[in-house]
């Protein structure tokens, strides 16, 4: 596996005389990849049908001439202003019915056939011209960014009706599947069906779920259209840059059409903007980022890319978009890059080369300041470049623990949380963090995984509908498994299954009742810790492993398969997962706060996310420190 560093560069932002020096300085810092082009449509095609490739030819030639490899982005996240003259109805529409206007980016509707044709046209032109010139591709930029997956436009409505007609064949079948007899919601034709916004009170959850599935498939087919065109003209791998904690479309489905899954990692922005942590945690990690958030996405996207994954954008200094934008602790740019490599990343590209003094992101740091002087992360990048050159290849370790991640469950529980705090990502991430506190390396797997034999422990919290392939794999699984809460509690059409859940192989248990609870009303567990937000009353003859303090069963089992009837707090999770890992014979090592470890194939890595040194097994790891040692053969 090759490991490399790179950077995102916008030649169109700078005088052409600077390109050569920029490229030489990139090489000098040890960078080998440069991503360009993803927002440059107005320069590639200044007027409809009039392409200007000269500048891009010269930019690519200059970068390649300096020895850099080029990732070329398709510019479809930023259609130029003239596009709106041609397709005035191409804008997405928000849930309140307002079109989302021109003047920033991502102003398009995934369902608009005319815009899709324009995208196919520019991608075809780019792929023809540069198919043999560039070493990798990126489709569009960050699907879903700025809340752009769901659109309530006329284009979306028409496409949704077609999608429904294909899926259900007749309005009667749709009425039955959704339960539209309720509140007289029955339809006599597909043309009567609207989008699930602007209803008086909540729309039918089955209607909303269908709309989420439809919207997700629109993203996947939009991406596939581009990937297929590129492949006709190029052998270079196709990537897309996904994001952190974004569940608006099924990333497994988009990943199936890519060679490489990439993601954009902004640890300090995420801590400030995207995670619900107590104030002490935020204070402790304000300049380092959460110790588990990056790793979670590394493991997720390694699986989405079926082993091949990158960081396409790595935070280099303060960003501009979070509520607060602190300066990273010295050493963190290096730590973040090394952590990605420890999880098997092929490349880590910093965003961006030079801070732009103009427009929306003028307050966003780069590797260079706006005056072209080095910003602090440049030296850290150069250090990592030297280190990866010296460090033997370590491969991507396989972990003994698998954790299921399912996008449909994120939609299901956002449509019907049943208690304000039931957020699917938060649930799965809490389990992931606990496993990391126990010193374990983790694989993330899709919900339809049909062979579980590679893992000694399989975990599936909160999966709304367990696919048949997974259920039969679970029935055959010889290792341990823990499933629940809310597992298998919806049919694929968003109804309560009868017989009642969880319907797991061999487990004689029925969820007879569920309750959600305000966060300050926990329910203690007899064995220690408590559950929050959610618990279930389970009946049946399955063996009860532990109980709530009022006697309701909390964990039940059949052989090595366990069902968990609530949302454990961190103390309970560490105990429950720790016991499971011990029983499975895994080496549990309770990590000091902020210190994390990860196994590659040949080495174990440690990352100190603290602003203070940590002692670990006789070694002092400095603040923002990275340490590695060979694994016992
Ligand atoms: C990403 C995006 C980049 C840039 C960056 C700023 O979301 O892909 O284009 O906006 O954020 O942090």
């Amino acid at each position: 596996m090759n490991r490399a560093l790179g950077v995102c560069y916008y030649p169109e932002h700078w005088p052409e005389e600077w390109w050569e020096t920029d490229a030489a300085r990139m090489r000098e810092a040890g960078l080998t990849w440069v991503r360009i082009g993803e927002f440059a449509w107005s320069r590639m095609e200044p007027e409809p049908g009039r392409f200007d490739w000269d500048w891009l030819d010269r930019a690519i030639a200059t970068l390649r001439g300096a020895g850099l490899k080029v990732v070329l982005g398709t510019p479809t996240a930023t259609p130029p202003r003239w596009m709106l003259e041609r397709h005035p109805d191409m804008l997405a529409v928000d849930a309140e019915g307002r079109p989302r206007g021109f003047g920033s980016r991502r102003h398009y509707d995934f369902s608009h056939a005319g815009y899709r044709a324009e995208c196919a046209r520019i991608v075809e032109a780019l792929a023809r011209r540069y198919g043999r010139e560039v070493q990798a591709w990126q489709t569009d930029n960050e699907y879903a960014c700025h809340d752009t997956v769901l659109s309530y436009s006329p284009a979306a409505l028409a496409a949704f009706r077609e999608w429904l007609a294909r899926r259900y064949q007749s309005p009667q079948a749709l009425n039955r599947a959704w339960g539209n007899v309720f509140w007289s919601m029955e339809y006599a034709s597909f043309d009567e069906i609207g989008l699930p916004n602007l209803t008086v009170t909540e729309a039918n959850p089955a209607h909303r779920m269908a709309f989420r599935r439809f919207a997700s498939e629109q993203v996947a087919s939009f991406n596939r259209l581009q990937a297929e065109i590129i492949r006709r003209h190029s052998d270079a791998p196709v990537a897309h840059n996904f994001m952190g904690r974004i569940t608006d479309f099924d990333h497994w489905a988009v990943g199936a059409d890519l060679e490489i899954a990439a993601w954009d990692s902004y640890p300090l922005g995420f801590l400030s903007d995207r995670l619900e942590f107590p104030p002490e945690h935020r204070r402790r990690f304000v300049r380092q980022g959460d110790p588990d958030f990056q790793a979670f996405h590394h493991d997720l996207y390694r699986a989405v890319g079926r082993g091949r994954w990158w960081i396409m954008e790595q935070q280099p200094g303060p960003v501009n978009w979070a509520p607060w934008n602190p300066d990273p602790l010295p050493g963190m740019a290096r730590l973040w890059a090394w952590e990605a490599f420890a999880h098997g990343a092929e490349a880590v590209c910093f965003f961006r080369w030079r801070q732009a003094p103009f427009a929306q992101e003028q307050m966003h740091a780069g590797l260079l300041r706006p005056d072209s002087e080095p910003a602090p992360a440049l030296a850290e990048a150069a250090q990592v470049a030297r280190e990866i050159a010296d460090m033997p290849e370590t491969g991507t370790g396989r972990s003994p623990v698998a954790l299921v991640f399912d996008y449909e469950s994120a939609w299901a529980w956002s449509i019907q949380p049943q208690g304000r705090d039931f957020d699917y990502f938060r649930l799965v991430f809490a389990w992931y963090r606990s496993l990391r506190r126990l010193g374990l390396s983790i694989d993330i797997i899709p919900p339809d995984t049909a062979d579980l034999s590679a893992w000694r422990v399989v975990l599936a919290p909160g999966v709304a509908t367990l696919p048949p392939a997974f259920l039969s794999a679970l029935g055959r699984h010889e290792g341990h498994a823990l499933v629940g809460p809310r597992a298998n509690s919806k049919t694929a059409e968003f109804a309560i299954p009868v017989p009642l859940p969880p319907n797991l192989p061999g487990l004689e248990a029925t969820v007879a009742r569920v309750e959600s609870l305000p966060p300050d009303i926990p329910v203690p567990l007899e064995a220690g810790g408590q559950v929050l937000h959610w618990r279930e009353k389970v009946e049946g003859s399955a063996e009860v492993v532990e109980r709530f303090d009022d006697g309701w069963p909390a964990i039940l089992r059949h052989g090595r398969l366990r069902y968990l009837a609530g949302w454990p707090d961190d103390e309970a999770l560490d105990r429950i997962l720790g016991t499971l890992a011990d029983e499975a014979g895994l080496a549990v090592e309770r990590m000091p706060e902020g210190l994390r470890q990860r196994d590659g194939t040949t080495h174990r890595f440690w990352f100190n996310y603290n602003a203070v040194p940590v002692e670990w097994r006789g070694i002092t790891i400095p603040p923002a420190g990275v340490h590695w040692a060979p694994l016992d053969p």
Side-chain angles (χ1 to χ4, degrees), residues 10 39 105 141-142 145 241 264 266 313 319-321 351 361 364:
Y10 299 91
F39 299 126
R105 62 178 172 182
N141 189 77
E142 293 192 332
C145 188
N241 55 337
D264 296 345
Y266 292 93
E313 299 180 11
V319 301
N320 64 308
W321 46 264
F351 181 91
E361 291 178 350
H364 194 299

Side-chain angles (χ1 to χ4, degrees), residues 572-614:
L573 255 183
D574 289 359
R575 181 176 57 71
I576 293 166
L577 296 179
T579 307
L580 202 63
D582 284 339
E583 264 183 50
L586 308 184
V588 167
E589 291 187 277
R590 286 168 209 282
M591 306 303 292
E593 190 172 3
L595 182 71
R596 292 293 181 261
Q597 64 182 20
R598 217 280 162 185
D599 288 347
T601 312
T602 56
H603 286 69
R604 174 166 288 183
F605 293 82
W606 289 269
F607 301 96
N608 183 10
Y609 267 86
N610 296 293
V612 292
V614 169

Side-chain angles (χ1 to χ4, degrees), residues 383-537:
Q383 181 183 350
V384 176
R386 289 191 300 274
E387 288 169 335
I388 55 179
D390 292 345
M391 164 81 181
E393 301 287 348
T394 71
T396 304
R398 194 86 203 251
S399 140
V401 183
L403 177 63
V404 172
F405 193 73
D406 173 39
Y407 291 90
E408 293 212 348
S409 298
W411 312 335
W413 306 142
S414 77
I415 290 169
Q416 192 182 72
Q418 177 67 6
R420 186 180 288 173
D421 313 298
F422 204 104
D423 177 278
Y424 175 73
F425 179 89
R426 191 171 166 190
L427 175 69
V428 180
F429 186 49
W431 288 43
Y432 183 88
R433 296 177 70 224
S434 172
L435 295 166
R436 298 255 298 170
R437 287 194 293 270
L438 298 169
L440 296 166
S441 296
I442 300 125
D443 284 342
I444 293 183
I445 61 172
D448 56 355
T449 305
D451 179 2
L452 299 171
S453 57
W455 298 283
R456 279 147 79 183
V457 174
V458 172
L459 305 169
V463 180
T465 310
L466 286 165
F470 181 83
L471 285 169
S472 51
L474 207 54
R476 293 191 306 272
H477 186 49
E478 287 173 6
H480 291 72
L482 180 64
V483 176
R486 260 187 133 166
N488 223 12
S489 64
K490 296 293 171 194
T491 66
E493 292 298 338
F494 216 107
I496 297 173
V498 179
L500 293 176
N503 294 311
L504 300 177
L507 188 87
E508 297 295 331
T510 298
V511 176
R513 162 155 305 198
V514 300
E515 64 170 355
S516 61
L517 294 159
D520 54 347
I521 313 285
V523 183
L525 287 155
E526 272 179 5
Q530 48 197 21
V531 299
L532 305 165
H533 314 308
W534 185 267
R535 76 162 176 162
E536 302 170 357
K537 185 166 202 180

